[in-house]
């Protein structure tokens, strides 16, 4: 199976559209979307409206911004700008898109149950927004990664989002290592290790590289690829400014913060 992995679009239609155009000629069996479709960016309806056109079967979990925009949570942990953007998004969403957000499933979610006999960890694949231990937890460091590895569904490979940082945590012989993934690259995953992998953010990267971030994974070769893609970010910025959202949301896109 070939997977396309996308996370944290945050209402940035220009970034999502550019990424999808770039993978148009490739074949994918599944697309994994790790939450935060909306919030911050000014094109929430366009982003939600594009989901039916994603390649292969869609597996999706909700993000913390999706929950606040849908009215499932009030956004107590949000800063002023994030809360303002969530309220702006709620006001601008169409009724079907509002309903769609309300019904997004909570993670973790098993995408591929796998075969326990595949030594030594099986080959289960799961997705979540923050962590399998808690959908709202930020996995920045080894301590949070350890909790994530211990939590159900104990997958061999888990894709997560939320931090907007493309990175990989690996559990090998009881020890955890973390690695930030820069630019474009690839690696082959090993059966005798477990992985927590973040594809980075499509709509609001935060590793000082303003390019949209995403990944692909081929289960047969166990080959993971990570990519960065330049997109017309001035158009996303103009949309934010014209929409009356805070200027800082437009500015940060240019700096990747
Ligand atoms: Fe996010």
């Amino acid at each position: 199976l070939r997977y396309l992995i996308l996370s944290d679009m945050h209402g940035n239609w220009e970034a999502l559209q550019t990424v999808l155009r770039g993978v148009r000629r490739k074949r994918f069996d599944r697309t994994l979307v790790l939450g935060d479709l909306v919030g911050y960016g000014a094109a929430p309806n366009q982003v939600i409206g594009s989901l039916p056109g994603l390649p292969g079967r869609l597996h999706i979990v909700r993000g913390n911004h999706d929950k606040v925009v849908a009215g499932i949570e009030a956004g107590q942990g949000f800063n002023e700008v994030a809360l303002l953007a969530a309220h702006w998004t709620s006001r601008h969403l169409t009724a079907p898109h509002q309903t769609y957000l309300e019904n997004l499933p909570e993670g973790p979610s098993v995408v591929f149950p796998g075969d326990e006999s595949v030594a030594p960890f099986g080959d289960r694949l799961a997705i979540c927004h923050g962590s399998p231990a808690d959908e709202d937890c930020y996995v920045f460091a080894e301590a949070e990664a350890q909790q994530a590895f211990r939590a159900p569904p104990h997958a061999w490979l888990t894709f997560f989002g939320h931090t907007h940082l493309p990175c990989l945590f690996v559990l090998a012989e009881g020890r955890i290592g973390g690695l930030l993934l820069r630019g474009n690259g690839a690696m082959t995953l090993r059966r005798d290790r477990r992985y927590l992998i973040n594809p980075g953010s499509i709509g609001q990267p935060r590793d000082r590289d303003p390019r949209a971030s995403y990944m692909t994974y081929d289960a047969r070769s166990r080959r993971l690829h990570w990519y960065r893609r330049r997109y017309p970010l001035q158009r996303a910025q103009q949309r934010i400014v014209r929409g009356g959202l805070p200027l800082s949301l437009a500015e940060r896109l240019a700096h990747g913060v």
Side-chain angles (χ1 to χ4, degrees):
L1 291 179
R2 288 184 49 83
Y3 296 89
L4 173 64
I5 306 120
L6 313 171
S7 192
D8 294 273
M9 286 95 150
H10 282 291
N12 187 336
W13 168 234
E14 284 74 19
L16 178 59
Q17 197 183 26
T18 302
V19 166
L20 293 179
R21 229 185 266 138
V23 300
R24 203 171 36 189
R25 288 201 186 82
K26 296 186 185 166
R27 191 185 61 83
F28 295 99
D29 303 290
R30 314 245 172 129
T31 297
L32 312 181
V33 174
L34 313 181
D36 278 1
L37 301 170
V38 300
Y40 298 135
N45 288 306
Q46 291 87 335
V47 168
I48 297 173
S50 72
L51 297 177
L54 293 177
R57 198 202 301 172
L58 176 64
H59 289 265
I60 188 166
V61 289
R62 67 188 187 185
N64 52 321
H65 287 258
D66 304 322
K67 281 194 286 185
V68 174
V69 171
I72 294 165
E73 278 179 8
Q76 288 95 338
F78 276 35
N79 64 43
E80 203 183 326
V81 169
L83 199 56
L84 210 139
H87 293 156
W88 182 99
T89 305
S90 300
R91 288 200 305 276
H92 286 80
L93 274 186
T94 65
H97 288 165
Q98 181 79 23
T99 306
Y100 184 84
L101 282 190
E102 285 165 18
N103 293 310
L104 278 176
E106 180 181 355
S109 169
V110 174
V111 170
F112 182 72
D115 182 351
E116 303 266 342
S117 70
V118 179
F121 299 117
D123 56 352
R124 182 174 299 151
L125 196 160
I127 58 172
C128 60
H129 183 60
S131 161
D134 175 352
E135 62 177 347
D136 294 330
C137 170
Y138 289 92
V139 178
F140 278 119
E142 278 77 2
E144 297 96 44
Q146 185 157 44
Q147 287 184 317
F149 279 120
R150 283 181 182 160
H154 308 288
W156 167 68
L157 169 59
T158 303
F159 288 105
F160 71 101
H162 198 30
T163 63
H164 299 208
L165 300 175
C167 68
L168 175 154
F169 290 94
V170 57
L171 179 66
E173 287 152 19
R175 288 169 53 177
I176 294 172
L179 186 68
L180 280 172
L181 304 173
R182 320 281 315 180
N184 300 295
M187 73 180 288
T188 303
L189 305 186
R190 291 172 51 157
R191 284 270 181 249
D192 58 347
R193 295 178 174 181
R194 289 177 64 203
Y195 297 91
L196 280 166
I197 299 178
N198 190 323
S201 170
I202 298 275
Q204 197 196 73
R206 292 181 190 162
D207 60 350
R208 302 197 170 272
D209 180 345
R211 296 175 297 172
S213 185
Y214 70 100
M215 285 182 178
T216 66
Y217 174 66
D218 186 329
R220 191 158 50 171
S221 60
R222 297 199 305 281
R223 196 82 176 141
L224 176 82
H225 284 265
W226 54 96
Y227 299 97
R228 299 306 282 261
R229 223 180 141 86
R230 210 173 289 284
Y231 71 94
L233 70 88
Q234 290 84 355
R235 267 192 264 160
Q237 290 178 312
Q238 281 165 10
R239 209 193 274 271
I240 287 168
V241 173
R242 287 204 198 112
L245 279 161
L247 267 180
S248 61
L249 292 175
E251 283 162 1
R252 65 188 296 179
L253 291 181
H255 306 291
V257 294

